[in-house]
Amino acid sequence: MGNLGEDQIQGSHETYVKGEVSSIGALISDIANDLSTLMRQEVELAKAEARESAQRAGKGAGMLGGAGAAASYAVLFLSIALWWAIGDLIDSLGWSAVIVGVLWAIVAAVLASIGRKKLKEVQGMKRTVETAKQVPPALKGNEDRV
């Protein structure tokens, strides 16, 4: 690129002759390209982590939705059981409805517990936060000191 006696600058893509106008422009172009690549990679990482978190949150919300449906059945069957038991104190059909209602209440409790546990497992975007913290020092040339 230049004479052997000239000072040279090592860039990320090429070696440039120090002080040469065209090499300064090429060096700035390399920096801009590297920064653009870094930002694209950060955005892709953020998207991937957001998708993963959304999937976990969706599973937890689904479990809570199932708990809500089970609770609705519990209320329905307990109401029918109470109605049937009062209306027909001697017949066993009313008590069988109570048993079904209690079973639905147990199902609701189990689903709610599982759903709450799944929602607590959602962690957010830890890797994106960590790598984003490294960007400013990297721009200053201090990426090894983070």
Side-chain angles (χ1 to χ4, degrees):
M1 189 177 261
N3 296 337
L4 292 175
E6 295 176 332
D7 290 336
Q8 295 187 342
I9 301 171
Q10 279 295 117
S12 62
H13 301 283
E14 293 183 37
T15 301
Y16 304 101
V17 175
K18 191 172 186 179
E20 198 175 300
V21 175
S22 63
S23 67
I24 293 172
L27 185 60
I28 291 173
S29 174
D30 281 353
I31 292 170
N33 287 336
D34 290 346
L35 184 58
S36 175
T37 299
L38 176 63
M39 289 300 127
R40 274 195 307 275
Q41 290 171 344
E42 287 296 323
V43 167
E44 288 304 314
L45 178 59
K47 285 180 184 179
E49 285 190 300
R51 269 192 302 273
E52 182 181 331
S53 290
Q55 286 173 346
R56 286 185 178 172
K59 287 178 183 177
M63 290 290 181
L64 289 177
S72 297
Y73 287 121
V75 169
L76 175 66
F77 280 107
L78 288 172
S79 297
I80 290 171
L82 181 61
W83 167 69
W84 205 316
I86 291 172
D88 193 11
L89 291 174
I90 300 172
D91 195 14
S92 65
L93 291 177
W95 291 114
S96 65
V98 170
I99 292 171
V100 170
V102 169
L103 289 175
W104 274 112
I106 291 169
V107 168
V110 168
L111 288 176
S113 174
I114 293 170
R116 185 177 301 139
K117 180 181 174 186
K118 289 289 182 187
L119 284 176
K120 286 181 180 179
E121 290 176 3
V122 176
Q123 297 176 357
M125 300 186 293
K126 289 182 177 182
R127 292 182 306 236
T128 300
V129 171
E130 283 301 315
T131 58
K133 286 179 183 177
Q134 295 174 0
V135 171
L139 293 176
K140 295 177 187 174
N142 299 328
E143 63 272 354
D144 293 336
R145 297 183 193 159
V146 175

